[in-house]
Amino acid sequence: MTSQSTPAARLEALGLTLPTPAAPVANYVPWTRAGNLVFVSGQLPIGAGGAIDAAHKGKLGAGVALEAGQGAARIAALNVLAQAAAAAGGDLSKLRCLRLGGFINSAGDFGQLPQVLNGASDLVATVLGENGRHARFAVGVAQLPLDAAVEVDATFEVLG
């Protein structure tokens, strides 16, 4: 095995660590498990300081650039992975991503929704390797909590 053969090693190679899973901000749980399936609630691009960077707030196509949206999606996906890891006993190698969903806070005429969500998809695929290949959806919405540019949710299978 190479040093980058595990999800933890791939995260480290990217210079990333899983954040502490965020507590819910309303009446829901951050994840729920049914058998081997884990459903992760929508995660925002909340950074290490516990806040959303100003570059990751607002509407894509109306003040937020594509690259900033991709960065927001990447941070939100890292938060999704943290929740999924918690559901799998802390072990990312036990996870297979089945579906990733993205809500993009966007102007009505913004058409690059799939490209924004690539920030999340690319991270999940890189960290989980073959187990990170997933189905997905990306939809534009009029507003998101805390004026976040992106919100990401996912469904995982816990292996073994």
Side-chain angles (χ1 to χ4, degrees):
M1 279 188 174
T2 67
S3 64
Q4 292 187 12
S5 64
T6 67
R10 290 183 207 113
L11 264 178
E12 185 178 338
L14 293 170
L16 299 173
T17 57
L18 284 183
T20 300
V25 297
N27 188 17
Y28 64 91
V29 294
W31 56 268
T32 187
R33 185 168 170 174
N36 287 339
L37 297 180
V38 173
F39 302 88
V40 177
S41 295
Q43 300 294 302
L44 301 175
I46 296 174
I52 299 174
D53 186 287
H56 299 152
K57 287 186 169 191
K59 293 193 180 302
L60 275 290
V64 177
L66 173 62
E67 295 77 16
Q70 291 168 328
R74 179 181 166 110
I75 293 169
L78 188 62
N79 291 328
V80 164
L81 287 173
Q83 296 291 358
D91 189 354
L92 285 172
S93 66
K94 291 183 178 179
L95 295 171
R96 177 177 167 234
C97 187
L98 301 175
R99 187 196 52 80
L100 193 72
F103 301 94
I104 292 92
N105 184 359
S106 60
D109 62 349
F110 183 76
Q112 293 181 294
L113 304 172
Q115 291 85 351
V116 171
L117 196 57
N118 281 347
S121 289
D122 292 349
L123 179 70
V124 171
T126 298
V127 171
L128 297 182
E130 189 62 28
N131 286 341
R133 295 177 47 85
H134 53 270
R136 75 173 204 187
F137 71 86
V139 296
V141 297
Q143 190 61 38
L144 287 171
L146 306 178
D147 199 29
V150 177
E151 182 174 350
V152 177
D153 74 351
T155 303
F156 292 87
E157 176 185 19
V158 178
L159 305 169

